[in-house]
């Protein structure tokens, strides 16, 4: 997939939308074995990774600092309308032109159409510049933020949220991106999983930050967004690319306290001057225990199980949050629905996010942490050391794989897609087979993410 560069003339306009940092992320090589090792540790019912040292996950703090996306704002939601005529009218209103039906598949618009339009625009006034920036944002949606396994199209449901150019920055794009990553991980644990999609750069950068002994050699530690620390890492780390799943599984089985970095962005770990003020100003909500919302996609930010990542004492958490039918919603076939109404309970919870921010216990103690670890290892101990499980104990097959149609399909690659089935979760039993089977979409093997001309 070719890089999506942008003209420096639009820099100020891009900053006004909140997408200036994520637009600067360069090529980040995907490390398939590490992705697979993380999927083995993901538990859909808790929305967290289960390591020997405790539960952990990618949080709102991580997506804000790794991608540089705005996290505090309105939920990314609204109606989805399966009508070419409505799609055409929306594009005519925002871009002055509309894609032909051959440039679409269902409710997806080909990324090539946005790229061609972006290249044709002459940046002579604010209207043309805003159209250019909107094209660039839609390309970000279709690649590094909400990309699917085809990497060929983007759902037009996002376009109405871009109508008011000044209001684009008011949405929590970071929480929507995180919702898509959680959904990709949950689906990747399923028995019929064939590939994983979603923001893999975010997942990998999180792992390299938290597990530095498994990371490739980072570049300048003062770079922001943090994902760019591993720009083109494969050039200097060829042996690292040859690591197998079995090797990484053993490393995680033997994980000791002190090897996992619970607070990588604290003073002493990351220079506070590296993190821009417009990103850090929303840090108050990063620990909120809230739903993550992106139209039909609802996931759970289980920060109450991740207190150690926010410098707080971890106690025994409450029962896992059951999202019910909201956790299995997909866009298949015609889906004319206003998701802000369908998910109104979750939207209201997000709007009250300041009420769900974590606070430190009155008298934190090491004894409380010891009680938690005893409970955690007693409850989940059978699956904290995966090298001990034999292949006969694996009922799920290849954990990272996902070839079913999870949504209305965007313009497809040449392969035939399997028939869509309703989403079902079953108790997770990790895979113990060789890493040779790993299947990552070609367009995600090298993240040709937009950067400046």
């Amino acid at each position: 997939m070719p890089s999506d560069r942008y003209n420096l003339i639009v820099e100020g306009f891009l900053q006004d939308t909140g997408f200036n940092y994520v637009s600067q992320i360069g090529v980040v090589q995907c490390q398939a074995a590490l992705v697979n090792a993380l999927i083995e540790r993901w538990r859909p019912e808790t929305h967290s990774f289960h390591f020997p040292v405790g539960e952990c996950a990618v949080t709102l703090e991580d997506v804000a600092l790794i991608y540089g996306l705005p996290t505090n704002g309105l939920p990314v939601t609204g109606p989805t309308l399966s009508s070419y005529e409505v799609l055409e009218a929306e594009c005519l209103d925002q871009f002055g032109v509309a894609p032909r039906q051959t440039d679409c598949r269902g409710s997806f618009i080909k990324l090539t159409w946005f790229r061609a339009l972006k290249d044709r625009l002459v940046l002579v006034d604010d209207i043309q510049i805003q159209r250019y920036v909107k094209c660039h944002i839609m390309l970000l949606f279709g690649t590094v933020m909400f990309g699917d396994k085809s990497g060929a199209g983007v759902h037009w449901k996002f376009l109405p949220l871009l109508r008011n150019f000044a209001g684009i920055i008011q949405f929590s794009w970071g929480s929507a991106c995180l919702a898509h990553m959680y959904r990709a991980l949950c689906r990747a644990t399923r028995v019929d999983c064939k590939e994983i999609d979603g923001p893999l750069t975010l997942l990998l950068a999180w792992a390299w930050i938290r597990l530095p002994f498994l990371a490739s050699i980072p570049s300048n530690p003062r770079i922001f967004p943090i994902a760019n620390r591993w720009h083109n890492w494969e050039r200097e780390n060829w042996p690292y690319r040859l690591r197998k799943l079995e090797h990484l599984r053993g490393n995680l089985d033997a994980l000791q306290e002190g090897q996992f970095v619970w607070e990588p962005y604290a003073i002493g770990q990351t220079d506070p001057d590296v993190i821009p003020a417009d990103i850090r100003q929303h840090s108050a909500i990063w620990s909120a225990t809230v739903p993550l919302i992106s139209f039909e996609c609802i996931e759970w930010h289980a920060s109450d199980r991740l207190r150690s990542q926010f410098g707080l004492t971890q106690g025994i958490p409450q029962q896992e949050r059951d999202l019910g039918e909201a956790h299995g919603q997909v866009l298949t076939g015609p889906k004319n629905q206003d998701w802000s109404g369908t998910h109104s309970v979750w939207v209201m919870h997000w709007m009250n996010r300041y009420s769900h921010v974590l606070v430190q216990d009155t008298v934190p103690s090491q004894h409380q942490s010891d009680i938690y670890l005893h409970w955690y290892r007693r409850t989940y101990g059978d699956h904290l050391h995966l090298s001990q499980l034999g292949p006969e104990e694996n009922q799920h097959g290849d954990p990272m794989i996902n070839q079913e149609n999870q949504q209305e399909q965007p313009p497809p690659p040449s392969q035939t897609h399997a028939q869509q089935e309703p989403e079902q979760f079953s108790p997770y039993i990790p895979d113990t087979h060789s890493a040779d089977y790993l299947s990552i979409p070609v367009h995600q093997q090298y993240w040709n993410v937009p950067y400046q001309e």
Side-chain angles (χ1 to χ4, degrees):
M1 179 182 294
S3 301
D4 293 310
R5 304 165 185 255
Y6 66 87
N7 193 313
L8 289 176
I9 293 175
V10 309
E11 182 76 33
F13 288 79
L14 198 58
Q15 185 172 353
D16 291 339
T17 67
F19 288 97
N20 51 314
Y21 298 118
V22 70
S23 296
Q24 297 167 13
I25 299 174
V27 179
V28 179
Q29 162 73 11
C30 184
Q31 219 273 328
L34 180 55
V35 172
N36 226 19
L38 292 171
I39 290 170
E40 289 187 330
R41 307 276 171 169
W42 182 259
R43 296 292 292 254
E45 70 274 19
T46 62
H47 287 92
S48 61
F49 297 109
H50 286 200
F51 290 158
V53 295
E55 292 182 70
C56 54
V58 186
T59 67
L60 290 169
E61 178 183 38
D62 294 303
V63 74
L65 301 184
I66 293 173
Y67 265 16
L69 286 169
T71 50
N72 192 20
L74 298 171
V76 176
T77 190
T80 53
L81 301 173
S82 301
S83 165
Y84 171 74
E85 289 71 28
V86 180
L87 181 159
E88 181 182 42
E90 186 69 39
C91 288
L92 285 172
D93 178 61
Q94 295 206 41
F95 300 110
V97 295
R100 297 168 296 180
Q101 285 186 292
T102 54
D103 293 318
C104 307
R105 182 177 176 86
S107 296
F108 285 76
I109 304 174
K110 290 181 180 178
L111 298 184
T112 52
W113 185 81
F114 283 108
R115 290 193 180 104
L117 174 59
K118 185 177 161 190
D119 290 342
R120 291 196 307 269
L121 289 170
V122 181
L123 308 180
V124 294
D125 55 35
D126 287 0
I127 293 177
Q128 298 301 310
I129 291 176
Q130 288 182 13
R131 288 174 174 174
Y132 181 98
V133 170
K134 289 179 180 181
C135 284
H136 181 74
I137 292 172
M138 289 297 284
L139 290 169
L140 288 173
F141 290 165
T143 53
V144 296
M145 290 178 61
F146 312 122
D148 75 338
K149 60 181 178 289
S150 77
V154 58
H155 203 291
W156 79 274
K157 64 187 177 184
F158 299 105
L159 272 177
L161 304 186
L162 307 184
R163 286 176 193 161
N164 176 14
F165 193 84
I168 294 174
I169 197 171
Q170 296 176 7
F171 291 94
S172 177
W173 299 107
S175 66
C177 179
L178 192 58
H180 279 256
M181 198 203 75
Y182 277 25
R183 183 178 65 173
L185 286 167
C186 288
R187 288 179 173 167
T189 64
R190 292 174 49 178
V191 61
D192 52 357
C193 177
K194 298 301 178 186
E195 287 180 340
I196 183 171
D197 53 17
L200 297 187
T201 296
L202 173 62
L203 176 62
L204 285 166
W206 175 87
W208 291 331
I209 292 166
R210 303 280 180 172
L211 300 162
F213 71 99
L214 293 181
S216 58
I217 301 172
S219 59
N220 186 351
R222 296 186 58 82
I223 288 178
F224 191 88
I226 290 175
N228 263 348
R229 291 182 183 179
W230 291 277
H231 173 62
N232 282 332
W233 64 261
E234 79 281 6
R235 295 180 181 177
E236 294 81 24
N237 293 265
W238 182 258
Y240 177 76
R241 295 181 59 189
L242 303 179
R243 288 187 179 180
K244 296 293 185 180
L245 174 59
E246 292 86 346
H247 176 255
L248 296 172
R249 184 185 291 144
N251 287 150
L252 295 178
D253 278 354
L255 191 65
Q256 300 292 319
E257 192 64 53
Q259 291 182 297
F260 186 87
V261 182
W262 292 104
E263 299 178 80
Y265 316 115
I267 297 176
Q269 296 281 353
T270 298
D271 189 333
D273 294 336
V274 171
I275 303 171
D278 58 335
I279 295 295
R280 190 179 287 279
Q281 67 177 338
H282 300 305
S283 61
I285 63 100
W286 288 345
S287 69
T289 307
V290 288
L292 302 170
I293 302 170
S294 178
F295 289 90
E296 80 287 356
C297 179
I298 301 291
E299 298 291 338
W300 189 250
H301 190 245
S303 58
D304 59 320
R305 310 180 75 94
L306 316 169
R307 293 174 62 88
S308 295
Q309 291 184 225
F310 299 100
L312 305 175
T313 303
Q314 181 66 60
I316 298 176
Q318 297 179 358
Q319 181 69 24
E320 302 91 342
R321 177 58 68 105
D322 182 7
L323 299 176
E325 293 182 357
H327 199 213
Q329 292 282 2
V330 294
L331 294 180
T332 54
K335 189 82 78 168
N336 300 309
Q337 194 163 345
D338 186 351
W339 296 101
S340 63
T342 302
H343 296 322
S344 59
V345 172
W346 306 114
V347 170
M348 184 61 66
H349 193 131
W350 170 264
M351 298 302 290
N352 293 328
R353 56 195 175 278
Y354 283 99
S355 301
H356 303 286
V357 171
L358 298 181
V359 294
Q360 181 62 285
D361 295 328
T362 305
V363 184
S365 67
Q366 180 61 40
H367 181 60
Q368 187 176 5
S369 298
D370 293 340
I371 292 175
Y372 161 74
L373 281 175
H374 177 73
W375 166 85
Y376 172 71
R377 289 166 180 164
R378 185 182 71 248
T379 305
Y380 302 108
D382 290 345
H383 294 292
L384 297 180
H385 301 282
L386 305 186
S387 299
Q388 300 173 5
L389 298 180
E392 67 279 0
E393 296 179 77
N394 176 32
Q395 301 173 0
H396 269 243
D398 302 341
M400 132 145 234
I401 313 204
N402 192 357
Q403 284 182 345
E404 68 172 346
N405 292 332
Q406 304 293 358
Q407 297 178 335
E408 284 183 78
Q409 284 302 312
S414 57
Q415 69 266 27
T416 301
H417 296 293
Q419 184 178 359
Q420 171 72 31
E421 297 178 358
E423 181 163 18
Q424 296 179 347
F425 294 101
S426 53
Y428 174 53
I429 299 178
D431 185 277
T432 56
H433 293 170
S434 166
D436 296 338
Y437 61 77
L438 290 176
S439 175
I440 287 184
V442 172
H443 72 279
Q444 293 198 29
Q445 292 177 11
Y446 287 87
W447 272 107
N448 289 319
V449 184
Y451 59 97
Q452 299 170 343
E453 288 180 322

